[in-house]
Structures are given as structure tokens and as C-alpha cells.
């Protein structure tokens, strides 16, 4: 049984395991997800796997194939639209979070977690650990979105990230962009801590715009 699947036995937990693999770059566009082998790997029956795959199919994360399903890819225009959405979502999230920081509505422990994510991301980049840098990068952005206090924004962001991750997982393997992204994380964290609403939004939007440019060059 896979370590990330230990204890899974329901459609929900199986779905969560597969969802995490979309986010961390384990799955990329075109990968086939065979029901039987996933069930064997996770140590569950085929029923929760089938239900999880059906849900992902309905959400657009998968597409039908001759024998089962494959991870859905994004064409250039679809990727651009998703980046446009992500830029606006993350800019708004940073604005809301900075406003809550300014008004003293965020606990000090949260700022410590955000700073830890920013420094941890930089360390992962320096060590060349793309998998770890991808994980911490997601953690950094998730912290800001979750602290915004808007659960609808958080849900929309989660869906957009899952669709983009399979097409942009390799971006952080590009040294120039990865180091620039690390610097931008520090700037965003500082603006939020300072309660600088305008800067937090503009820096976050610029960060996603730069990520989009890297993705376009890689296409």
C-alpha cells in the first residue's frame, strides 16, 4: 500500500489522495489512471476508486479514453483563461488577507507559518528539490487564500490550481524563475504583514503574471 494512501477506504479519502497527486505534479496531462491498479496500490476496493475517478471526470480533471480515463490537458487559450482567473483570485485574496492583518484579525502564529513557507520554499529551490518546492509553493499560496476569510474564493482557487498544476508542474524546475518566485514570496509576505493592501494585491497579481509568462514559454 502506498504511504500516502494508508488508511484510505472511502471514496472521499481516495479522492483526496488522487487530488493531492494532481497538485504536487505526480500526474501530468495525458497520464492514464487505471482503476484496477490504483485500487491495488491504495489497498482499497475498486468502488471508491471508481467513484473518485467519476467525480474527477465530472469536474473536468479527467477525460474519457479508449480504456478508462486520462488526465485532462489544457490548450493555450484555456491555460490563459485559468491564469487570468488565478491572478484575480490571488490578488483579491492577498488584498483581503492584508486588510485583515492591518485590522489585527490574524493570529501571530499564522504570520510565522507564512514566513516559514517563504523561507522553506527558497531552501527547496536552492537544494534543487522540485517536488518539495512545488509542495511548499502550494502551501504558501493556500495560506494566503485561506486567511482571506472568503470560503468561496478558496474553493474557486482550489479548483483552478488543480487544473493548472498538471500543465505547469515543471515550471519550478527553471532556476531563473524559481529564484525570482522565491523573492516574490518574501515581498508578498512582507506586504501582508505590513497591512499594505494595495501592494499585497499588486505583488500577488504580478507574481501570477510572471508565472504565466514562464508557462507560455514552456508551451
Amino acid at each position: 500500500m502506498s504511504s500516502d494512501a494508508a488508511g484510505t477506504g472511502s471514496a472521499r479519502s481516495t479522492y483526496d489522495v488522487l487530488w493531492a497527486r494532481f497538485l504536487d505534479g505526480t500526474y501530468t496531462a495525458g497520464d492514464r489512471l487505471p482503476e484496477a491498479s490504483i485500487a491495488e496500490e491504495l489497498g482499497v476496493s475498486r468502488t471508491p476508486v471508481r467513484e473518485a475517478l467519476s467525480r474527477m471526470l465530472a469536474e473536468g480533471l479527467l477525460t474519457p479514453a479508449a480504456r478508462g480515463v486520462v488526465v485532462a490537458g489544457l490548450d493555450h487559450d484555456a491555460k490563459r483563461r485559468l491564469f487570468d482567473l488565478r491572478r484575480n483570485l490571488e490578488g483579491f485574496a492577498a488584498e483581503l488577507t492584508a486588510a485583515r492583518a492591518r485590522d489585527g484579525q490574524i493570529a501571530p502564529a499564522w504570520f510565522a507559518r507564512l514566513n516559514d513557507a517563504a523561507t522553506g520554499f527558497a531552501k527547496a529551490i536552492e537544494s534543487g528539490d522540485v517536488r518539495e518546492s512545488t509542495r511548499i509553493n502550494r502551501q504558501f499560496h493556500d495560506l494566503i487564500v485561506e486567511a482571506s476569510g472568503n470560503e468561496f474564493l478558496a474553493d474557486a482557487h482550489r479548483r483552478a490550481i488543480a487544473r493548472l498544476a498538471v500543465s505547469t508542474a515543471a515550471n519550478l524546475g527553471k532556476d531563473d524563475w524559481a529564484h525570482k518566485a522565491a523573492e516574490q514570496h518574501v515581498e508578498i509576505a512582507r506586504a501582508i504583514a505590513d497591512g499594505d493592501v494595495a501592494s499585497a494585491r499588486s505583488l500577488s497579481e504580478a507574481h501570477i503574471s510572471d508565472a504565466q509568462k514562464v508557462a507560455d514559454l514552456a508551451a
Side-chain angles (χ1 to χ4, degrees):
M1 182 185 297
S2 172
S3 60
D4 64 353
T8 62
S10 68
R12 177 63 191 173
S13 54
T14 300
Y15 175 89
D16 289 341
V17 170
L18 298 181
W19 180 278
R21 293 179 180 182
F22 274 81
L23 294 179
D24 68 13
T26 298
Y27 295 144
T28 57
D31 284 353
R32 187 176 296 277
L33 301 189
E35 182 181 301
S37 61
I38 291 174
E40 180 179 1
E41 177 197 355
L42 302 188
V44 299
S45 71
R46 294 178 67 163
T47 298
V49 177
R50 186 179 306 118
E51 292 175 359
L53 295 179
S54 294
R55 180 177 171 186
M56 290 180 160
L57 187 63
E59 292 174 338
L61 294 170
L62 303 173
T63 57
R67 290 174 291 177
V69 294
V70 298
V71 176
L74 294 169
D75 62 26
H76 177 77
D77 288 340
K79 194 184 300 183
R80 175 183 53 78
R81 291 192 296 272
L82 265 176
F83 264 113
D84 286 344
L85 174 62
R86 185 184 175 189
R87 183 177 65 253
N88 282 281
L89 289 173
E90 296 217 16
F92 186 36
E95 176 185 323
L96 292 175
T97 302
R100 295 186 71 222
R102 179 197 60 204
D103 297 339
Q105 296 177 346
I106 298 179
W110 180 88
F111 294 104
R113 291 173 64 199
L114 188 67
N115 287 330
D116 285 348
T119 57
F121 177 74
K123 289 178 181 176
I125 292 299
E126 288 296 333
S127 68
D129 190 338
V130 176
R131 183 79 174 266
E132 181 67 0
S133 63
T134 299
R135 184 189 70 79
I136 302 178
N137 179 59
R138 187 175 76 248
Q139 180 185 49
F140 178 85
H141 290 281
D142 285 351
L143 280 167
I144 295 171
V145 171
E146 290 165 6
S148 72
N150 188 320
E151 71 274 22
F152 303 106
L153 188 160
D155 182 64
H157 178 262
R158 180 174 180 267
R159 293 173 182 273
I161 289 297
R163 293 299 306 275
L164 278 171
V166 298
S167 299
T168 60
N171 283 3
L172 291 177
K174 299 174 175 60
D175 285 345
D176 289 348
W177 161 238
H179 284 90
K180 182 177 181 180
E183 294 171 359
Q184 291 176 338
H185 282 190
V186 172
E187 293 171 352
I188 293 167
R190 184 181 301 119
I192 291 173
D194 290 344
D196 188 338
V197 174
S199 291
R201 177 158 195 156
S202 63
L203 287 167
S204 293
E205 290 180 344
H207 178 58
I208 302 305
S209 291
D210 286 346
Q212 180 176 1
K213 292 173 185 175
V214 174
D216 285 344
L217 290 173

